[in-house]
Amino acid sequence: MANSMGINYGQIADNLPSPEDVVPIVKSIGATKVKLYDADPKVLKAFANTGVEFIVGLGNEYLDKMRDTAKAQAWVKQNVQSHLPATKITCIFVGNEVLTFNDTSLSNSLLPAMQSVHTALVNLGLDKQVTVTTAHSLSILETSYPPSSGAFREDLVDCLSETLSFHQKTGSPFLINAYPFFAYKGNPKQVPLDFVLFQPNQGVIDPATNLHYDNMLYAQIDAVYNALASLGYKKLPVHISETGWPSKGDEDEVGATADNAKKYNGNLIKLMSKKTGTPMRPNSDLNIYVFALFNENMKPGPTSERNYGLFKPDGTPAYSLGISSTSNVAGSNTTTGGTNGKPLSPIPTPPSTPTSSSTGYLSISPATVSFW
């Protein structure tokens, strides 16, 4: 087991510290991996020789252009190869939540762009150290509860199957953005707050597997594992490319408070240090990237969009993470069965994600996913 914390470093703001000043901030929270939404050369240079691993991004606006291998190779040369090996770029994610924009031209460009970028890496002799993937919204799932019934949306299965085959052939991870916050915000009277915040609670039992879940994120991850397994991709690694909780929101954004953000992110970081996986995959690494490093003041949308940061732009914590102790956190118990959990009543879960940092678009979520 080698759980390590990742952090999303979005920059839709006009008041963030210089990349050089961000290096100690990243190290202060114990993050060893950073995900960018572009390939900002100033950031990549600032983190040279720090040992921090990077995922760099190609925004949705690049997909059509990247279908051309020559253009993809020029981009990789300039934005990836030029920073290696000093900066540890290990992955390129091509497009963010593309399949849930309901944009056919975008969806049709996704796999060709991924293949083109991979071919560029092969041509440059970098494919063994840099993988190619894309990040998906949890709303690619048709069902997510109970986790054993996790399944992809029928209309996306053909497109996803081709992408999954690419992952398997190239050894790249499957990235998913998962936000229990939206499940709670959508149904605060039915979704137990402690269950989404990793606080002690009686949890739920998946009736098909008898596995006990005491937090929603692990249930969502296992739903993704089951959806992958149902298409024949049982061994594909799943990374949580975004998850987080806002410390402030509009009046109708129930649960968006500093206290809840502290519990969610603080407990999540403690859990990751425990070196355990999910109930269904207790021995698999948890690769989780917290969203986000900073509050970003220029993001569109509701107030919560500008308040996902662990830090304020001046480098001070947005709230205390309280990660010095590891006691009293749900999620460390991955035992099966028992009477300490019970199935919950049906709860509709809108599995959307915050505005993409790469494009500023709002995610479009389909019909709600049933929660038991």
Side-chain angles (χ1 to χ4, degrees), residues 103-115:
D103 181 330
T104 313
S105 67
L106 210 53
S107 298
N108 289 344
S109 294
L110 179 59
L111 183 60
M114 291 169 70
Q115 290 168 327

Side-chain angles (χ1 to χ4, degrees), residues 34-241:
V34 170
K35 179 165 153 272
L36 293 179
Y37 290 85
D38 52 21
D40 186 335
K42 291 177 186 164
V43 173
L44 294 171
K45 281 173 188 157
F47 278 84
N49 306 308
T50 60
V52 174
E53 286 185 24
F54 272 81
I55 296 181
V56 295
L58 265 165
N60 296 353
E61 66 275 18
Y62 284 95
L63 293 194
D64 189 50
K65 191 189 292 185
M66 287 301 122
R67 296 174 70 136
D68 180 333
T69 306
K71 288 176 181 170
Q73 192 153 318
W75 187 91
V76 170
K77 261 185 164 175
Q78 183 181 340
N79 295 285
V80 177
Q81 189 178 41
S82 64
H83 297 286
L84 294 170
T87 304
K88 287 178 72 175
I89 300 170
T90 59
C91 183
I92 301 166
F93 81 102
V94 179
N96 195 39
E97 303 188 348
V98 169
L99 299 186
T100 41
F101 276 111
N102 301 326
D103 181 330
T104 313
S105 67
L106 210 53
S107 298
N108 289 344
S109 294
L110 179 59
L111 183 60
M114 291 169 70
Q115 290 168 327
S116 187
V117 173
H118 177 70
T119 300
L121 290 166
V122 171
N123 292 345
L124 295 168
L126 300 174
D127 57 301
K128 297 291 184 283
Q129 62 190 103
V130 183
T131 58
V132 177
T133 186
T134 187
H136 298 286
S137 159
L138 192 70
S139 55
I140 59 170
L141 293 183
E142 187 75 49
T143 48
S144 58
Y145 267 76
S148 58
S149 71
F152 294 117
R153 274 172 44 188
E154 297 243 347
D155 60 314
L156 298 179
V157 166
D158 288 347
C159 183
L160 273 168
S161 293
E162 293 179 345
T163 311
L164 295 173
S165 175
F166 171 86
H167 288 307
Q168 190 174 56
K169 285 175 189 164
T170 63
S172 61
F174 185 77
L175 303 190
I176 198 96
N177 300 336
Y179 287 88
F181 166 68
F182 286 104
Y184 180 73
K185 175 185 162 184
N187 259 286
K189 288 179 180 171
Q190 288 178 284
V191 177
L193 186 58
D194 286 342
F195 184 64
V196 291
L197 293 180
F198 309 98
Q199 291 288 98
N201 68 97
Q202 69 178 14
V204 296
I205 287 176
D206 186 322
T209 61
N210 221 27
L211 289 171
H212 176 251
Y213 290 87
D214 52 17
N215 72 75
M216 184 180 281
L217 182 66
Y218 281 15
Q220 290 177 335
I221 297 171
D222 278 356
V224 174
Y225 276 129
N226 276 298
L228 290 169
S230 73
L231 295 182
Y233 295 93
K234 199 172 182 179
K235 294 185 176 176
L236 209 60
V238 173
H239 294 186
I240 302 302
S241 38

